[in-house]
Amino acid sequence: MTGKDIAKEAQIQVETNDSTLLRKKIEKLSLLLIAGLAFGLPLVMRSPTYLHIVILIYFYAYLTTSWNMVGGFAGVLPMGHAVFIGTGAYTSTVLSLQYGISPWIGMIIGGVIATFIGILIGLPTFKMRGAYFALATIAFAEGMRVMVENIEYLGPFQLNGPRGLQIPPLNTGLSNFMFANKEPYYYIILVMLILVLGITWFISRSKLGYYLNAGGEEPEAAMALGVNVSRAKLIAMAISSFLTALAGTFYAQFSLFIHPKSIISLDLSFEIAFIALIGGRGSIAGPILGALLLRPVSDFSRIYFGDVFPGLHLVIFGVVLILVMIYQPRGIQEPLTRIYEKIVDRIVAKYSRGVTA
Amino acid sequence: MKKISALLAITLSIAVLITLSAISASAADKTVKIGNIIPLSGPSASVGQQGKNAREMAVEEINAAGGIASLGGAKLQMVYADSESKPEKGVGEAERLINTEKVSILTGCWNSAVTYPTTAVAERYGIPFVVPVSVADKITEQGFKNVFRIAAKDSWWTRDQFAFMKDMQAEFNTKIVKIAFVYENGDWGQGFAKQWKKLAAEAGYEIVLDEPYPSTSTDLSPIVQKIRRSKADVLMMVSNAIDAILLTNTINEYKVSLKAIITSGGGHADPSFLKAAGKNAQYLFDIVEWETDVNKAGAKEANEKFKAKYGSNLTGEAVDAYVAMYVIKDALERAGSIESDKIRAALASTNLTSGPGMIVGYDAVAFDKTGQNKHASLVMVQVNDIGKGLERITVWPKNARRAGYTPVFPKP
């Protein structure tokens, strides 16, 4: 290699370094911009109705992100996550209604209980493959719902069977996790969402994340390399069920009424899975994109068509689901990521050309 | 990281979109907006549609007759929202109707489980909420000031079912000993069952079966087997339309012999029930708030008009929805304002005894201090064919019985 060549090489090296730095900068900027927008949104959007819809978008994005740890990275399809939502909601609500314990503490207790349930469900079921695992989790969730529907009192705890529990909207305040307007709920779920995204990001680049990925794609190969696949899955399940239960408490405090049909229902479990499938399983952005697409489709079509053509919103929801599954089986995150990449490429190209010229 | 950034870009654009649509709020004109949260899709869609039709008919009549005179002839404008029978959807829709649509009054929600949390939203905003027909007792027992219920509450329904049984035994000299309870396992069914058990114990009946079932089941034959094995004299049921049809047909298929089947409105009162169950429903007793043969001025005309318009008879629940609109009209007329607290005060002092809306079986609508219509009452009907095809014939109380009809009891 001549000296000239080396110099040229070095030049290219510097340029690529520059462009990766630039990319990082763009990413950081857009992240900051989005975070700023998300935090500033309630200042612009004064309507409680729209705030309600956005809160539910975040809520579902949160749920799906928590689900994604098992359903996305570990490559299995849990269809019974409503169990954990129910556990969280019921635990904190019973504790606050009967013993006056702040829902914030109940939230953590509910999370711990859900973790145990998650491990209990995971121990036998993670040995199953594909559809069998999905079916087993559905069975657990439905079993749980039927049980709660038929239990008036669980020991000293009043569950009220199918009639559910209502939280009287009396003592508002931060320590009671109850507010008269929507903004506090908005910020709570936004912070929860950011935290869970952070955890996912962290896991996805940790050893556990790689174990999960390997176990999800080629379990035999991963085990041959000495990866304890089922242990990794169990840890993911524990984290996922804990985080999901926290959202249960949030839901209870937000809607102030829980009953088995709304909170331990298969509908809810399926909705989480749908969002993940539409958004893109196993990616960090997938759940958020899925929630951003599906929730408004379902809400606005119900609002605008629910009165004129009853049931049409469910048809629209189904059509969107089918179209995305046919044309983007890996979820809408894939084409969107490509578009984003292109835009960044263009910016980087323009910028570096500007510098060298 | 790249994926995160992609999501950020999308969030941005959607956030902007939502904000834009939020800004374009609706402008108010010379109408009174009434928000109605009813199940227009999902398992109770059929009753929801009935309720919607009845409301439409009442509002058309009211508007055609000049609207609300004290508000300068303001017209009633209906805004419907679909609850899908889900509480969280109902709550979300209540928020939307109050905040975005700016409705003055809310009505709904048929499903007690939806009405319960939804009235809490209305209470928080101080918007009057007229409940035509969610029967769970606790709806008017929450200490809310803005909730008014037209229909009888479920403890009154069960009370009258047992009073009816007692009267029938005396009239036909047939003894009832064993009774079986089969009910949907939701809020509504469990509420009835709780009362039944108490009343049965008081009256000294033997409960041979106590069977809740999920109303979404597609096969109820195990339940019917249990009914048959229980050898009950009387079967009491609470069902939604689809499971009412399924149970009635399966009971006939299995040739279960019973002295009487006593049902609790809802699915059994739904027009689709008689169509689909047909002959299998013969001799069944149902408790309702209203029947087409009720002896009230205007009732027959209203029913004929409804049938011509929507192709089915008015049901008790539809009549409640119909009357609710006239109760609202009456309150608005007296309030002379669309301010929530004035409407609320007017509703609280309602004493509606006559007028085009009063086609109900009872004589007046007036609310006690919990918001319950204290005059609401019920009738028992029997499904029978007396030469004009299967119809619902009023049999109880005895003074309301259709002239010349003798109930068939026990079931042949």
Side-chain angles (χ1 to χ4, degrees):
Chain A
M1 214 181 258
T2 65
K4 214 176 176 185
D5 280 340
I6 292 169
K8 207 173 182 182
E9 194 90 328
Q11 173 76 25
I12 292 166
Q13 195 67 36
V14 169
E15 266 175 26
T16 41
N17 270 350
D18 267 0
S19 65
T20 38
L21 267 176
L22 194 59
R23 272 170 183 286
K24 285 234 165 98
K25 225 181 221 169
I26 294 175
E27 264 164 23
K28 235 181 229 165
L29 262 175
S30 43
L31 261 173
L32 272 175
L33 191 66
I34 300 286
L37 266 175
F39 275 97
L41 189 64
L43 301 177
V44 200
M45 193 154 70
R46 308 299 305 173
S47 152
T49 314
Y50 290 102
L51 222 43
H52 184 93
I53 291 172
V54 179
I55 290 171
L56 283 177
I57 293 177
Y58 290 174
F59 169 74
Y60 278 99
Y62 174 95
L63 279 179
T64 312
T65 308
S66 312
W67 178 91
N68 205 21
M69 284 173 202
V70 187
F73 294 115
V76 289
L77 206 59
M79 300 296 263
H81 258 50
V83 167
F84 308 124
I85 305 170
T87 308
Y90 268 95
T91 309
S92 65
T93 307
V94 165
L95 289 179
S96 78
L97 285 182
Q98 281 182 261
Y99 302 97
I101 297 170
S102 163
W104 290 104
I105 300 168
M107 192 172 182
I108 305 296
I109 300 173
V112 173
I113 297 175
T115 310
F116 278 112
I117 297 179
I119 293 172
L120 274 180
I121 295 180
L123 272 176
T125 50
F126 276 132
K127 295 194 184 90
M128 300 175 187
R129 288 279 169 83
Y132 296 102
F133 176 80
L135 290 175
T137 47
I138 288 178
F140 266 109
E142 275 298 271
M144 193 72 134
R145 180 182 63 81
V146 172
M147 265 159 63
V148 175
E149 274 189 349
N150 288 291
I151 293 173
E152 283 288 302
Y153 285 90
L154 183 69
F157 308 119
Q158 188 179 7
L159 300 187
N160 256 351
R163 279 165 295 130
L165 298 168
Q166 196 200 16
I167 305 168
L170 303 172
N171 305 313
T172 50
L174 187 61
S175 63
N176 289 321
F177 203 147
M178 198 187 297
F179 312 94
N181 37 24
K182 305 269 174 194
E183 283 82 1
Y185 290 113
Y186 178 90
Y187 286 112
I188 289 171
I189 193 70
L190 180 59
V191 169
M192 281 169 73
L193 179 60
I194 291 172
L195 286 180
V196 78
L197 283 172
I199 293 172
T200 312
W201 184 78
F202 181 76
I203 288 180
S204 74
R205 59 219 35 220
S206 73
K207 229 183 200 172
L208 178 65
Y210 293 123
Y211 284 174
L212 285 173
N213 248 325
E217 276 164 23
E218 285 291 343
E220 281 84 7
M223 280 188 282
L225 287 172
V227 175
N228 191 340
V229 174
S230 54
R231 189 167 157 268
K233 281 183 182 171
L234 215 54
I235 294 174
M237 184 74 161
I239 299 173
S240 172
S241 39
F242 179 83
L243 292 171
T244 307
L246 302 188
T249 301
F250 175 83
Y251 180 91
Q253 295 302 125
F254 180 59
S255 70
L256 298 180
F257 178 74
I258 51 170
H259 81 321
K261 275 209 181 94
S262 67
I263 206 150
I264 324 182
S265 70
L266 272 187
D267 288 3
L268 191 54
S269 297
F270 287 167
E271 181 133 22
I272 297 171
F274 285 156
I275 291 173
L277 291 173
I278 294 294
R281 274 169 81 197
S283 70
I284 295 176
I288 305 213
L289 294 174
L292 277 177
L293 175 70
L294 278 192
R295 289 302 308 169
V297 165
S298 132
D299 281 332
F300 286 106
S301 56
R302 191 186 67 244
I303 290 173
Y304 292 116
F305 305 123
D307 156 23
V308 197
F309 305 104
L312 182 68
H313 61 285
L314 300 173
V315 177
I316 294 177
F317 190 84
V319 168
V320 169
L321 217 63
I322 293 169
L323 286 180
V324 175
M325 290 285 66
I326 291 176
Y327 294 106
Q328 291 299 335
R330 293 173 62 87
I332 52 169
Q333 56 88 18
E334 213 181 41
L336 290 176
T337 313
R338 261 205 309 274
I339 293 171
Y340 171 79
E341 293 292 322
K342 249 184 214 156
I343 294 171
V344 173
D345 275 349
R346 204 163 287 170
I347 296 173
V348 169
K350 214 176 190 179
Y351 188 77
S352 32
R353 220 181 299 136
V355 169
T356 45
Chain B
M1 199 50 162
K2 283 165 189 168
K3 284 167 185 169
I4 299 183
S5 335
L7 106 89
L8 298 180
I10 301 301
T11 325
L12 194 150
S13 44
I14 294 200
V16 170
L17 264 178
I18 294 176
T19 321
L20 282 178
S21 50
I23 291 166
S24 62
S26 57
D29 36 11
K30 213 178 123 193
T31 51
V32 183
K33 275 192 169 183
I34 302 175
N36 302 275
I37 304 166
I38 41 180
L40 292 169
S41 64
S44 317
S46 162
V47 269
Q49 195 60 46
Q50 295 284 324
K52 187 186 171 198
N53 292 344
R55 286 169 165 87
E56 287 286 308
M57 191 168 98
V59 166
E60 264 170 39
E61 288 169 10
I62 293 168
N63 286 343
I68 310 296
S70 71
L71 287 169
K75 302 272 187 279
L76 299 184
Q77 188 195 340
M78 306 297 273
V79 185
Y80 294 98
D82 180 10
S83 73
E84 292 179 31
S85 302
K86 291 178 183 159
E88 73 276 16
K89 299 258 157 89
V91 168
E93 288 294 348
E95 302 259 9
R96 179 176 72 84
L97 291 176
I98 294 168
N99 292 311
T100 309
E101 297 286 348
K102 311 269 182 230
V103 299
S104 308
I105 302 172
L106 280 168
T107 82
C109 308
W110 198 77
N111 308 82
S112 291
V114 181
T115 311
Y116 196 32
T118 307
T119 48
V121 175
E123 182 73 13
R124 195 161 71 224
Y125 287 100
I127 300 289
F129 198 121
V130 176
V131 181
V133 65
S134 285
V135 293
D137 280 23
K138 65 185 176 188
I139 286 165
T140 47
E141 287 164 6
Q142 304 178 89
F144 289 172
K145 295 200 158 44
N146 292 289
V147 179
F148 301 92
R149 171 163 53 194
I150 311 269
K153 45 185 174 182
D154 61 13
S155 56
W156 297 2
W157 290 62
T158 52
R159 179 194 68 192
D160 286 0
Q161 284 172 325
F162 274 77
F164 164 75
M165 263 203 288
K166 198 173 156 215
D167 289 354
M168 291 303 272
Q169 289 180 71
E171 190 179 341
F172 292 90
N173 205 11
T174 309
K175 196 124 185 72
I176 295 170
V177 184
K178 296 175 179 170
I179 48 179
F181 301 146
V182 172
Y183 46 96
E184 64 97 28
N185 67 359
D187 197 14
W188 175 41
Q190 301 258 4
F192 264 67
K194 208 170 157 188
Q195 300 285 337
W196 281 344
K197 283 174 224 169
K198 210 178 89 204
L199 290 163
E202 280 167 18
Y205 297 115
E206 185 191 340
I207 302 170
V208 288
L209 182 69
D210 174 21
E211 188 71 23
Y213 67 88
S215 62
T216 46
S217 305
T218 47
D219 177 24
L220 291 166
S221 49
I223 310 265
V224 176
Q225 283 289 10
K226 280 188 185 169
I227 299 170
R228 187 163 70 167
R229 255 179 283 141
S230 74
K231 296 200 165 37
D233 296 323
V234 168
L235 168 64
M236 302 185 71
M237 296 206 276
V238 179
S239 303
N240 294 308
I242 295 162
D243 36 310
I245 295 164
L246 192 58
L247 274 170
T248 308
N249 290 340
T250 319
I251 284 172
N252 269 275
E253 234 169 76
Y254 282 60
K255 298 198 167 45
V256 183
S257 78
L258 292 155
K259 283 184 183 153
I261 297 174
I262 298 176
T263 58
S264 314
H268 288 97
D270 192 289
S272 67
F273 169 72
L274 262 193
K275 276 186 207 140
K279 214 63 181 148
N280 292 343
Q282 200 172 13
Y283 307 127
L284 175 139
F285 292 103
D286 191 22
I287 187 163
V288 281
E289 299 151 287
W290 193 84
E291 205 43 68
T292 49
D293 61 358
V294 76
N295 187 20
K296 269 284 191 153
K300 205 168 161 232
E301 292 75 19
N303 186 52
E304 265 157 21
K305 188 174 167 197
F306 189 82
K307 196 164 184 180
K309 249 177 134 83
Y310 306 107
S312 64
N313 280 326
L314 277 164
T315 60
E317 281 139 349
V319 168
D320 281 324
Y322 180 78
V323 174
M325 294 302 126
Y326 277 97
V327 170
I328 288 172
K329 179 205 177 247
D330 169 67
L332 284 169
E333 212 55 276
R334 283 180 290 112
S337 158
I338 55 165
E339 274 169 49
S340 308
D341 46 342
K342 292 209 175 113
I343 299 175
R344 198 208 79 79
L347 275 169
S349 59
T350 295
N351 189 12
L352 192 64
T353 52
S354 61
M358 284 306 289
I359 57 167
V360 284
Y362 42 91
D363 299 324
V365 175
F367 301 105
D368 65 14
K369 60 178 187 301
T370 65
Q372 171 65 41
N373 173 15
K374 51 193 174 193
H375 297 290
S377 71
L378 301 148
V379 294
M380 295 291 303
V381 299
Q382 182 165 43
V383 175
N384 203 354
D385 181 352
I386 47 169
K388 284 185 287 178
L390 284 178
E391 56 178 327
R392 295 162 63 89
I393 302 160
T394 306
V395 294
W396 185 92
K398 214 173 168 185
N399 55 19
R401 184 176 293 171
R402 190 190 288 185
Y405 181 73
T406 320
V408 181
F409 175 81
K411 197 176 158 191

